[in-house]
Amino acid sequence: MSTTFDGRVALITGGSRGIGAAIARRLAEAGATVAINYRSNAGAADELVEELRAHGHRAEAFGGDVTDPARIADVVARVVEEFGALHLLASNAGIEHFAPLADITLADFENVFRTNVGGQLFAVQAAAAVMPPGSRIVLTSSVSARIAVHRHTLYAASKAAVSAMALNLAPELAEAGIAINAVAPGGTATDMAAENGADYVHPALAGVEPQQVTRSMNALGRLARPDEIADAVAFLLSQNASYITGSTLDVAGGWMR
Ligand code: NDP
């Protein structure tokens, strides 16, 4: 198996922290030039760029909020201007949301869907317009798209939409020689997971520590490390996945419900 990305330029949305940062490290280690997109945390993005450059990799940070299609188109244009091409897109930027049905507002709906669905759709639109044949895209869904978690409706619906996008864009992008897939991570040890409180613990389990509930829901009994998700993304972005498009790959430790 060869997973070299020599000569390939990769854009990772939400690449400054968590899973996105792990993807950036993984692709850079395998030879890719990496463009790290972030929303507001320029410090984290710059720190990662410095780390990668210190290891001899080519990397640059590109600020831009994916909820604004014009901003993400600008990020793609700047990447091509800086590095000459774009071959790989890891569309990873996303936000979490928990709320009981009665508390969900139109603003919540717009924020979650503009980020988790629109942010990925318009990133693909901008990237596909400049990608040469042989390019590859990975979206970020979630195991939440196919399981029930207490008060997680809006987030789960947005992630189900992501898998539907990967499936439906596959034939259209195949005409341009571009493959598109999604990963569906389970609970992964990042800032996002750390910020999850007791919101998702079912009332019948009141008092049980939230992360204990997460651990109990998968066969491996633990959260994923970000690099374990990054390995799956790297596989789907590589030529080893040449006959895979339109799929969603669970990376969820054997989620049991
Ligand atoms: P984190 O909250 O740790 O990091 C989020 C990253 O996305 C940051 O780089 C952040 O930038 C960026 N980001 C957020 N909103 C925007 C935006 N509007 N425009 C551009 N960048 C943005 O998240 P994770 O690493 O945990 O999650 C990454 C992806 O994986 C998400 O799509 C998430 O839904 C999905 N996922 C995560 C799981 C988990 O348990 N952690 C499980 C299943 C799926 P900045 O630093 O500037 O804020």
Side-chain angles (χ1 to χ4, degrees), residues 36-194:
I36 294 158
N37 161 254
Y38 63 96
R39 174 184 45 188
S40 53
N41 195 338
D46 289 343
E47 221 171 277
L48 179 59
V49 166
E50 289 314 311
E51 175 197 316
L52 294 174
R53 287 180 180 167
H55 286 89
H57 308 309
R58 220 169 152 213
E60 185 68 69
F62 295 85
D65 190 328
V66 299
T67 61
D68 180 349
R71 292 282 285 153
I72 194 67
D74 177 61
V75 166
V76 168
R78 283 188 284 145
V79 171
V80 173
E81 192 181 320
E82 176 80 18
F83 296 127
L86 177 63
H87 308 98
L88 308 172
L89 170 66
S91 171
N92 161 82
I95 54 168
E96 181 62 281
H97 184 268
F98 285 98
L101 174 63
D103 292 354
I104 296 173
T105 64
L106 182 59
D108 292 333
F109 173 80
E110 287 176 350
N111 190 28
V112 171
F113 272 73
R114 278 192 74 156
T115 309
N116 291 358
V117 184
Q120 304 211 52
L121 177 69
F122 290 110
V124 172
Q125 185 186 65
V130 301
M131 283 175 147
S135 296
R136 303 189 63 89
I137 296 171
V138 174
L139 307 181
T140 306
S141 178
S142 167
V143 73
S144 301
R146 60 169 184 78
I147 62 168
V149 173
H150 200 50
R151 297 171 172 165
H152 215 200
T153 306
L154 209 46
Y155 178 83
S158 75
K159 292 299 187 176
V162 173
S163 293
M165 286 198 299
L167 184 59
N168 285 271
L169 285 169
E172 192 175 336
L173 293 180
E175 290 172 24
I178 300 170
I180 181 166
N181 293 288
V183 280
T188 307
T190 66
D191 294 344
M192 182 184 280

